Structure formats: C-alpha cells, structure tokens
Amino acid sequence: MSATTEKSTSDTPMSDPEFRDRLRELPPSAKLVATVLDGSSPLSQGQLAEESLLPDRTVRYALNRLEEEDLVESRYSFHDARKQVYFLAN
C-alpha cells in the first residue's frame, strides 16, 4: 500500500488549504453547511437544514454563497429526481 495510490480520509476538500482560505471569507452559516457536507454528503437542502439545525432559508443562502465560490456542486437525487443534492467540490 503506497501513499500515492491510496486516498486518505484526510484528502477531503476541507483539508485543502486553498479551499479553506476561500471558505474563511464566507458567513458562519456557509462554514457550518460545508462542515456538515464534509462529514456526510450528498445531502438535500432539507437534510442539510436538519443536520445543521439551521432554518431552510439560511441553508439556501449558505448554499448560494458556497456555489458562488465554486465550493459546492449539486446534482439531481437518484432517489427523487425532483430534489437536488449537494456535495463539496473537489
């Protein structure tokens, strides 16, 4: 097992210094949403609200800010095509 072929659990976007520098300038709600997504993703907006204990409106604002900075990406859910799920950009 070489370190170059195995992906470490610390190789998440949150461990990237550039990612963290861009995140540092964002509001606390965006930082919390990013932290929740780092722990378990992809998640829907409703799931993010539930996990972060933030109101839906605040989660939407945080996701918009994260998307503006290209820190979060989204796709349609495989389980429910009416919903989008979010995950940290690599």
Side-chain angles (χ1 to χ4, degrees):
M1 253 192 291
S2 76
T4 57
T5 59
E6 290 289 321
K7 186 172 183 176
S8 166
T9 56
S10 65
D11 288 341
T12 66
M14 290 289 274
S15 65
D16 177 19
E18 181 184 337
F19 186 96
R20 293 177 67 85
D21 284 343
R22 292 168 46 211
L23 185 62
R24 189 170 281 118
E25 302 301 318
L26 297 178
S29 60
K31 293 173 186 164
L32 177 58
V33 167
T35 301
V36 170
L37 285 173
D38 190 48
S40 59
S41 69
L43 295 173
S44 69
Q45 182 179 338
Q47 291 169 317
L48 280 166
E50 188 176 309
E51 290 292 320
S52 66
L53 304 176
L54 293 171
D56 286 337
R57 184 175 176 175
T58 304
V59 170
R60 179 77 249 152
Y61 173 74
L63 287 170
N64 284 336
R65 294 297 308 273
L66 289 164
E67 286 177 324
E68 287 170 5
E69 296 294 324
D70 295 323
L71 298 175
V72 161
E73 296 178 3
S74 65
R75 65 168 167 75
Y76 287 102
S77 171
F78 296 132
H79 300 291
D80 186 349
R82 296 171 295 174
K83 294 182 181 181
Q84 284 193 312
V85 291
Y86 299 87
F87 52 94
L88 295 179
N90 289 333

